Amino acid sequence: MAIRLAENNYGKSRVRLLRVTRQPDHHEIKEVTLSIRFEGDFEAAHTAGDNSKILPTDTMKNTVYALAKQYPAEPVEEFALHLAEHFLTYNPQVARVQIDVLEHPWQRIPMNGQPHRSAFLRGSNERRTASVSSARGTVAVRAGIEDLAVLKTTDSAFVGFRRDPYTTLKEASERILSTTIHATWLYLGAEIAYGPAWHNVRKMLLETFAQHESLSLQHTLYAMGEAVLNSFDEISEIHISLPNKHYLLVDLKPFGMDNLHEVFLPTDEPHGLIEATLKKS
Amino acid sequence: MAIRLAENNYGKSRVRLLRVTRQPDHHEIKEVTLSIRFEGDFEAAHTAGDNSKILPTDTMKNTVYALAKQYPAEPVEEFALHLAEHFLTYNPQVARVQIDVLEHPWQRIPMNGQPHRSAFLRGSNERRTASVSSARGTVAVRAGIEDLAVLKTTDSAFVGFRRDPYTTLKEASERILSTTIHATWLYLGAEIAYGPAWHNVRKMLLETFAQHESLSLQHTLYAMGEAVLNSFDEISEIHISLPNKHYLLVDLKPFGMDNLHEVFLPTDEPHGLIEATLKKS
Amino acid sequence: MAIRLAENNYGKSRVRLLRVTRQPDHHEIKEVTLSIRFEGDFEAAHTAGDNSKILPTDTMKNTVYALAKQYPAEPVEEFALHLAEHFLTYNPQVARVQIDVLEHPWQRIPMNGQPHRSAFLRGSNERRTASVSSARGTVAVRAGIEDLAVLKTTDSAFVGFRRDPYTTLKEASERILSTTIHATWLYLGAEIAYGPAWHNVRKMLLETFAQHESLSLQHTLYAMGEAVLNSFDEISEIHISLPNKHYLLVDLKPFGMDNLHEVFLPTDEPHGLIEATLKKS
Amino acid sequence: MAIRLAENNYGKSRVRLLRVTRQPDHHEIKEVTLSIRFEGDFEAAHTAGDNSKILPTDTMKNTVYALAKQYPAEPVEEFALHLAEHFLTYNPQVARVQIDVLEHPWQRIPMNGQPHRSAFLRGSNERRTASVSSARGTVAVRAGIEDLAVLKTTDSAFVGFRRDPYTTLKEASERILSTTIHATWLYLGAEIAYGPAWHNVRKMLLETFAQHESLSLQHTLYAMGEAVLNSFDEISEIHISLPNKHYLLVDLKPFGMDNLHEVFLPTDEPHGLIEATLKKS
């Protein structure tokens, strides 16, 4: 019996960056957290402690700052592409570079109804993501959304489901539907306007969630994915993951009251989890 | 030597509520997390295990839902006042009730440029707070803001500070200033329009932060508090707590580059912390 | 109407330190997170941006490392006392220094049944705390425990409680009792063996929790505090805060089964919260 | 262009359970959090809102409690196998069931030096994991460890690494090595004594970390995996993921002191991340 090193990678996580672009009449900022991973020929480091092919993860971090000086970090997909190309150029021992970016959104403080030129507030918990996986000759660019919490108070039902001896759930023809949207999609080709594309996909996901006559969270997930694939030629697949954040109707009968879908208990656990990938074929 | 029970209280924390108000043409929602605390005559429970004066914390929770059916939970200050009054009326053994409310903001999903009638997205990490402390005959109402993150790219300096043998910090005539605003203020009197007052205080805090020529975070904190006290007759004091979230200028000299206040490292720890209360006298 | 600066303080939070003491045959480590706060004559900084009495919080951080070189950081109470004394000596403008310490426990990795001389594992989530508040001439030293989670499967009841119209809780003569111990106690005098004292108080809190015939969480809290005050002459008061972490008996009747106190649902929210201070008088 | 549903699954996450086994002279407890996922024939639910093949996730949760009544939940691998078998038996539309278990360790409170019969304290942040993936005819059982934090003060170096224009890291022949062990391993065959196996693997991982003369974290990771595969016939592969938690040597020269590897700054971000799978071949 021999032992072999199968998949392996290494990198740097949680590299944080604020990039300020100072225009004469206003400043622009971009705050991101990056992680970088290398796959390649690292066997000797593992088996013999030979580090000669190991670029330090400290250098990966330095490179983020050095390239942030030279490029505007906007849009994040382009910045990730620059990073991946740099690493592949300088490191022949590396077969694949993966760059993951989380963007933390800032928006301008309103000042007498106008956006302030240099002061900002943190917009939301929601984060834009970008992910570049670059091997020599092939590049895959994904964009995404994390932690976009949504809720609708009507147009959601769950009936006609399968029952077994431990099923106690009642059918609901009207219920609160709430989830946190996690989605990533894969771009086709290289000539993408990443900024507008991201905003348009986000708009389509939100509007579909809002308008859909939902028969289940699976049903709504599929509608959201289908709407995106039907609307964007430059997107070939989309993965969506939706926790079902249950809002429980509180039983007010012990207090002599009817609860006409007015008083709910929000819960975090347990929660349902629905995941699917839709592809063009 | 005798042992005595000094300060004591008990209550229920993290009671979560979603309240839906169903109008014919649109729905309104309010999501809050409450905590409730009682002070009063509970010595026998501690020393003898006599629970006859202990209203269960489970009942406190039930009461939130029962009153949420009867009242709209809007504004949160009024709902907290209803709760406090209810508990004092039914529980003569209670001397003081404290209600703390965290509001989790939802905003409407835009649909063809119009706010959707029944679908929402979670606006921000920022939370509105309200706190009612009601004893028999006296009521104090506080409102507040938590976790409102802000940042400015200019108009902030820190020079002329005290030095000792361990001081290595350099003077900065230009720096990033970033903090997370935590503020609470005390209302005078009972005839307050809590909703508009909260929005106006928030606006004043943000605009003062944005416009202030800051010589230190203390200096900006004081300007923010002063602006609120000068502008609102119905507020008698304000407490502000501001962590100094340091954004470190990255040294790019090892890579042969100058960093013209463009590339920063955001950090969470360690952080400065500045706190003060301003009062009218 | 004038505005005045009332209570105010500033300082540095989340200053992290690992101190290694290298003995010939083994190493000792101590990992702590500290926060430092100053009260004093800081009015001009707030009102006029005059920083001449403001020692930078960056210097506070530096001082932790400089003193950690000179002192072993063991026990943490002594290290906090050194820090407080240093700051008061060098800063006449400071009236009071508060040092708070969280210790993150490491224990030795067992190696062939023996503790390893230089390798460690993180013992537990539980943290030892120390807090020194030093003004010129008076020093208060508190020690404490945070996040010590405990649970007992019997010897806990809750009956005979007060009822009102919204009370639905059933009496329980047998229940799971679970809480997370947060306690701090105040030492009398200066000649304290802080290390052994802390371990003995911890042992007494745990044994009292385990053995007590509990009629309520208030009842157990009081017994725990009373045991400590009765056993330690050098402790004058103790504050205890206990969340009531409810474990709900799952109703198995819909599945044709009796639940003989075997199957429970652990919950985090909502939870009860019981707090009290016991003093010698 | 058609759109098709590719991979999809659904399930219930964060199902929490405490199981008490009441022996005459002592009680045993087991606290776990489970997640359950189904893969199978769910296309109609997505595309047409037809729920007739969707067992509610609420039923998945109920099943955990119903089976916890019938089985002791010890070891967790066996309990996960019972759950998977139950779901496959009652649900022909399901092709694969995945059960993931996190165990939260409790240990007995010592009482006069003896373990208490019914009172417990939460041992550690570390968690035991188990994962069962069961399709019709094939079952894979994995066990693992999460969040086992370790640190060594010597026998760790990092020299001879690759350099590029942005490399500034200095070689270190002596450094702190700290990580949080995340490992999962795959069992071969069905006749495994899961309880003893888990404890023996954990012991081997810890002892190898402690004793290894580390030339890099990759080097130590490989040694840990190799030791496990060489020692356990019933394990065919192991995946290990190790964040490199940097402890930075503080520069005390500005204060006129030498830092002889005594004073360190612990950091969480950025951190290195090393991952690999070792297999028998």
Side-chain angles (χ1 to χ4, degrees):
Chain A
M1 180 213 73
I3 292 171
R4 66 187 172 85
L5 181 66
E7 304 80 21
N8 72 92
N9 68 75
Y10 82 102
K12 198 77 162 186
S13 295
R14 288 172 67 183
V15 180
R16 297 177 61 178
L17 166 69
L18 175 79
R19 176 61 157 84
V20 182
T21 305
R22 294 173 183 268
Q23 309 287 7
D25 61 342
H26 71 284
H27 295 173
E28 289 159 15
I29 63 173
K30 180 76 70 177
E31 183 169 342
V32 293
T33 302
L34 300 101
S35 88
I36 298 151
R37 275 188 299 171
F38 284 5
E39 295 173 27
D41 175 15
F42 309 127
E43 180 134 1
H46 286 87
T47 58
D50 171 357
N51 296 323
S52 59
K53 292 186 174 169
I54 300 292
L55 188 76
T57 64
D58 187 72
T59 301
M60 298 179 189
K61 178 203 69 181
N62 287 347
T63 306
V64 168
Y65 298 120
L67 266 64
K69 167 70 186 176
Q70 301 166 62
Y71 300 106
E74 166 61 38
V76 286
E77 290 88 350
E78 302 278 8
F79 187 64
L81 285 165
H82 284 304
L83 275 168
E85 188 185 335
H86 173 94
F87 287 126
L88 288 175
T89 301
Y90 282 86
N91 292 279
Q93 80 283 14
V94 173
R96 177 182 295 276
V97 172
Q98 167 96 21
I99 311 286
D100 292 294
V101 188
L102 272 182
E103 180 177 343
H104 308 283
W106 289 99
Q107 52 187 238
R108 291 180 188 278
I109 291 177
M111 187 76 205
N112 302 324
Q114 298 298 315
H116 196 278
R117 65 178 193 90
S118 59
F120 303 82
L121 64 87
R122 178 61 64 87
S124 158
N125 229 8
E126 173 194 349
R127 287 169 301 186
R128 175 173 172 178
T129 65
S131 173
V132 165
S133 178
S134 182
R136 303 187 178 279
T138 65
V139 183
V141 178
R142 290 181 162 274
I145 293 173
E146 275 192 11
D147 286 328
L148 170 52
V150 292
L151 178 153
K152 56 195 287 185
T153 51
T154 189
D155 296 332
S156 167
F158 187 51
V159 302
F161 45 78
R162 184 177 173 85
R163 297 187 160 277
D164 77 2
Y166 298 144
T167 301
T168 57
L169 187 71
K170 295 191 177 125
E171 300 208 326
S173 58
E174 172 81 321
R175 61 172 187 171
I176 298 273
L177 185 65
S178 181
T179 188
T180 303
I181 299 174
H182 301 263
T184 62
W185 51 93
L186 178 64
Y187 287 114
L188 274 174
E191 301 300 310
I192 311 287
Y194 294 114
W198 186 86
H199 286 283
N200 287 331
V201 173
R202 180 183 182 275
K203 182 169 181 288
M204 175 122 325
L205 290 169
L206 282 175
E207 291 189 355
T208 308
F209 173 82
Q211 286 296 87
H212 189 242
E213 296 283 336
S214 173
L215 297 174
S216 71
L217 192 49
Q218 281 92 340
H219 191 217
T220 299
L221 180 154
Y222 190 82
M224 292 164 70
E226 191 180 34
V228 170
L229 293 187
N230 276 331
S231 306
F232 298 92
D233 287 344
E234 66 268 44
I235 298 177
S236 63
E237 66 173 72
I238 182 166
H239 176 77
I240 305 179
S241 171
L242 300 179
N244 198 347
K245 311 283 278 305
H246 309 298
Y247 282 70
L248 310 178
L249 197 67
V250 177
D251 179 10
L252 301 176
K253 292 218 188 72
F255 321 135
M257 301 170 190
D258 275 340
N259 189 347
L260 307 172
H261 293 273
E262 294 162 302
V263 180
F264 294 87
L265 167 61
T267 62
D268 287 331
E269 60 183 24
H271 61 259
L273 184 62
I274 316 294
E275 297 186 305
T277 302
L278 279 70
K279 295 186 183 182
K280 289 178 183 167
S281 60
Chain B
M1 182 212 72
I3 292 171
R4 66 188 172 83
L5 182 66
E7 305 79 23
N8 72 93
N9 68 75
Y10 82 103
K12 198 77 164 185
S13 294
R14 290 173 64 183
V15 179
R16 297 178 60 179
L17 166 70
L18 175 79
R19 175 61 156 87
V20 182
T21 304
R22 295 174 181 267
Q23 308 286 8
D25 60 344
H26 71 285
H27 295 172
E28 289 159 15
I29 63 172
K30 179 75 72 174
E31 183 170 341
V32 292
T33 301
L34 300 101
S35 86
I36 298 151
R37 276 188 298 170
F38 284 4
E39 296 174 27
D41 176 14
F42 309 127
E43 180 134 0
H46 287 85
T47 58
D50 172 357
N51 296 323
S52 59
K53 292 186 175 170
I54 301 293
L55 188 76
T57 64
D58 186 73
T59 302
M60 297 179 190
K61 178 202 68 180
N62 287 347
T63 305
V64 168
Y65 298 120
L67 265 64
K69 166 70 185 176
Q70 301 166 62
Y71 300 104
E74 168 60 37
V76 286
E77 290 88 349
E78 301 277 10
F79 186 64
L81 285 165
H82 284 304
L83 275 168
E85 188 184 334
H86 173 92
F87 288 126
L88 289 175
T89 301
Y90 282 87
N91 292 279
Q93 82 282 13
V94 173
R96 176 182 297 274
V97 172
Q98 168 96 21
I99 312 286
D100 292 294
V101 188
L102 273 181
E103 180 178 342
H104 309 283
W106 290 99
Q107 52 187 237
R108 291 179 189 277
I109 291 178
M111 187 77 206
N112 303 324
Q114 297 299 314
H116 195 279
R117 63 176 195 89
S118 60
F120 303 83
L121 64 86
R122 177 61 64 87
S124 159
N125 228 8
E126 174 195 349
R127 287 169 300 185
R128 176 174 172 177
T129 65
S131 172
V132 165
S133 177
S134 181
R136 302 188 179 278
T138 64
V139 183
V141 178
R142 289 180 162 275
I145 293 173
E146 275 192 11
D147 287 327
L148 171 52
V150 292
L151 178 152
K152 57 195 287 185
T153 50
T154 188
D155 297 331
S156 168
F158 187 50
V159 301
F161 44 77
R162 184 177 173 84
R163 296 187 160 279
D164 76 3
Y166 297 144
T167 300
T168 57
L169 186 71
K170 293 189 179 128
E171 299 208 328
S173 58
E174 173 81 321
R175 61 171 187 173
I176 298 273
L177 185 65
S178 182
T179 188
T180 303
I181 299 173
H182 301 263
T184 61
W185 50 92
L186 178 63
Y187 286 114
L188 273 174
E191 301 300 310
I192 311 287
Y194 294 113
W198 187 86
H199 286 282
N200 288 332
V201 172
R202 180 181 182 276
K203 181 168 182 289
M204 175 119 331
L205 290 169
L206 282 174
E207 292 190 354
T208 307
F209 172 82
Q211 287 297 87
H212 190 242
E213 296 283 335
S214 175
L215 297 174
S216 70
L217 192 48
Q218 281 93 339
H219 191 216
T220 298
L221 180 155
Y222 190 83
M224 292 163 70
E226 192 180 33
V228 170
L229 292 188
N230 275 331
S231 305
F232 298 93
D233 287 343
E234 66 269 43
I235 297 176
S236 63
E237 66 173 75
I238 183 167
H239 176 78
I240 306 179
S241 172
L242 300 179
N244 197 348
K245 311 284 276 306
H246 308 298
Y247 282 70
L248 309 178
L249 196 67
V250 177
D251 180 10
L252 301 175
K253 292 217 187 73
F255 321 135
M257 300 172 190
D258 275 340
N259 190 347
L260 307 171
H261 294 274
E262 294 162 302
V263 180
F264 294 87
L265 166 62
T267 62
D268 286 332
E269 60 183 25
H271 60 259
L273 183 61
I274 317 293
E275 298 186 304
T277 302
L278 279 69
K279 295 186 181 181
K280 290 179 181 166
S281 59
Chain C
M1 181 212 73
I3 292 172
R4 65 188 173 82
L5 182 67
E7 306 79 22
N8 72 93
N9 67 76
Y10 82 102
K12 198 77 162 185
S13 295
R14 289 173 64 184
V15 179
R16 296 178 59 179
L17 166 70
L18 176 78
R19 176 60 157 86
V20 183
T21 304
R22 295 174 181 267
Q23 308 287 8
D25 59 343
H26 72 284
H27 295 173
E28 289 159 14
I29 63 172
K30 179 76 71 175
E31 183 169 342
V32 292
T33 301
L34 299 101
S35 87
I36 299 151
R37 276 189 297 171
F38 284 4
E39 296 173 26
D41 176 14
F42 309 127
E43 179 135 2
H46 286 85
T47 59
D50 172 358
N51 296 323
S52 59
K53 292 186 174 169
I54 301 292
L55 188 76
T57 63
D58 186 73
T59 302
M60 297 178 189
K61 177 203 69 180
N62 287 346
T63 306
V64 168
Y65 299 120
L67 267 63
K69 167 70 186 176
Q70 302 166 60
Y71 299 105
E74 168 60 37
V76 286
E77 290 88 349
E78 302 276 9
F79 186 64
L81 286 164
H82 283 305
L83 275 168
E85 188 185 335
H86 173 93
F87 288 125
L88 288 175
T89 301
Y90 282 85
N91 291 280
Q93 82 281 14
V94 173
R96 176 182 297 275
V97 173
Q98 168 97 20
I99 311 287
D100 292 295
V101 189
L102 273 181
E103 180 178 342
H104 307 284
W106 289 99
Q107 52 188 238
R108 292 178 187 278
I109 290 177
M111 187 76 206
N112 303 324
Q114 297 299 315
H116 195 279
R117 64 178 194 89
S118 60
F120 303 83
L121 64 88
R122 177 62 63 86
S124 159
N125 229 7
E126 174 195 348
R127 288 169 300 186
R128 176 174 172 179
T129 66
S131 173
V132 165
S133 178
S134 181
R136 302 188 179 277
T138 65
V139 182
V141 178
R142 290 182 162 274
I145 293 172
E146 274 192 11
D147 286 328
L148 171 52
V150 292
L151 178 153
K152 57 195 288 184
T153 51
T154 189
D155 296 332
S156 167
F158 187 51
V159 301
F161 45 78
R162 184 175 174 87
R163 298 187 159 277
D164 76 3
Y166 297 144
T167 301
T168 56
L169 187 71
K170 293 190 177 129
E171 300 209 326
S173 57
E174 173 81 320
R175 61 172 187 172
I176 298 274
L177 185 65
S178 181
T179 188
T180 303
I181 298 173
H182 301 262
T184 61
W185 51 92
L186 178 63
Y187 287 114
L188 273 175
E191 301 299 312
I192 311 287
Y194 294 113
W198 186 87
H199 286 283
N200 288 331
V201 172
R202 180 181 182 275
K203 181 169 183 287
M204 175 123 324
L205 290 170
L206 282 174
E207 292 189 354
T208 307
F209 173 82
Q211 286 296 86
H212 189 243
E213 296 283 337
S214 174
L215 297 173
S216 71
L217 191 48
Q218 281 92 339
H219 191 217
T220 298
L221 180 154
Y222 191 83
M224 291 164 72
E226 192 180 34
V228 170
L229 292 188
N230 275 332
S231 305
F232 299 92
D233 287 344
E234 66 269 43
I235 296 177
S236 64
E237 65 173 74
I238 182 166
H239 176 78
I240 305 179
S241 172
L242 301 179
N244 198 348
K245 311 284 276 305
H246 308 297
Y247 282 71
L248 309 179
L249 197 66
V250 177
D251 180 10
L252 301 177
K253 292 218 186 71
F255 321 134
M257 301 172 191
D258 275 341
N259 190 348
L260 306 172
H261 293 273
E262 294 162 301
V263 180
F264 294 86
L265 166 61
T267 62
D268 286 332
E269 61 184 24
H271 61 259
L273 183 61
I274 316 294
E275 297 186 305
T277 303
L278 279 70
K279 295 187 181 182
K280 289 177 181 168
S281 58
Chain D
M1 181 212 75
I3 292 171
R4 65 187 173 84
L5 181 68
E7 306 79 21
N8 71 92
N9 68 73
Y10 82 102
K12 199 76 164 185
S13 295
R14 287 173 65 184
V15 179
R16 297 178 60 179
L17 165 70
L18 176 79
R19 176 61 156 86
V20 182
T21 304
R22 294 173 182 268
Q23 309 287 7
D25 60 343
H26 72 283
H27 295 173
E28 289 159 15
I29 63 173
K30 180 74 70 176
E31 184 170 341
V32 293
T33 301
L34 299 101
S35 87
I36 298 151
R37 276 190 296 172
F38 284 5
E39 295 173 27
D41 175 14
F42 309 127
E43 180 135 359
H46 287 85
T47 59
D50 171 357
N51 296 323
S52 59
K53 292 186 175 170
I54 300 293
L55 188 76
T57 63
D58 187 73
T59 302
M60 297 179 189
K61 178 202 69 180
N62 287 347
T63 306
V64 168
Y65 298 121
L67 266 64
K69 166 71 185 177
Q70 301 166 61
Y71 300 104
E74 167 61 35
V76 285
E77 290 88 350
E78 301 277 10
F79 186 64
L81 285 165
H82 284 304
L83 275 168
E85 187 185 334
H86 173 93
F87 287 125
L88 289 175
T89 301
Y90 282 86
N91 292 280
Q93 81 282 13
V94 173
R96 178 182 296 276
V97 173
Q98 167 98 19
I99 311 287
D100 292 294
V101 189
L102 272 181
E103 180 177 342
H104 308 283
W106 289 100
Q107 52 186 238
R108 292 179 188 278
I109 291 177
M111 187 76 205
N112 302 323
Q114 297 299 315
H116 195 279
R117 65 178 192 88
S118 60
F120 302 83
L121 63 89
R122 178 61 64 87
S124 159
N125 229 8
E126 173 194 349
R127 287 169 299 185
R128 176 174 172 177
T129 66
S131 173
V132 165
S133 178
S134 181
R136 303 188 180 277
T138 65
V139 183
V141 178
R142 290 182 163 274
I145 293 174
E146 275 192 12
D147 286 328
L148 171 53
V150 292
L151 179 153
K152 56 195 288 185
T153 51
T154 189
D155 296 331
S156 167
F158 187 51
V159 302
F161 44 78
R162 184 177 173 83
R163 296 188 160 277
D164 77 2
Y166 297 145
T167 300
T168 57
L169 187 71
K170 294 190 178 126
E171 300 208 325
S173 57
E174 172 81 320
R175 60 172 188 173
I176 297 274
L177 185 65
S178 181
T179 188
T180 302
I181 299 173
H182 300 264
T184 61
W185 52 93
L186 178 63
Y187 286 114
L188 275 174
E191 300 299 310
I192 311 288
Y194 293 113
W198 186 87
H199 285 283
N200 288 332
V201 173
R202 180 182 183 276
K203 181 169 181 289
M204 175 121 327
L205 290 169
L206 282 175
E207 291 189 355
T208 307
F209 172 83
Q211 287 296 87
H212 189 242
E213 296 283 337
S214 174
L215 297 174
S216 71
L217 192 48
Q218 281 92 338
H219 191 216
T220 298
L221 180 155
Y222 190 82
M224 292 164 70
E226 191 180 35
V228 170
L229 292 188
N230 275 332
S231 306
F232 298 93
D233 287 344
E234 66 268 44
I235 296 177
S236 63
E237 66 174 72
I238 183 167
H239 176 78
I240 306 180
S241 172
L242 300 179
N244 198 347
K245 311 283 278 302
H246 309 297
Y247 282 70
L248 309 178
L249 197 67
V250 177
D251 180 10
L252 301 177
K253 291 215 189 73
F255 320 134
M257 301 171 190
D258 277 341
N259 189 349
L260 308 171
H261 293 273
E262 295 162 300
V263 180
F264 294 86
L265 166 61
T267 62
D268 287 331
E269 61 184 23
H271 61 259
L273 182 62
I274 317 294
E275 297 185 305
T277 303
L278 280 71
K279 294 187 183 183
K280 289 178 183 167
S281 59

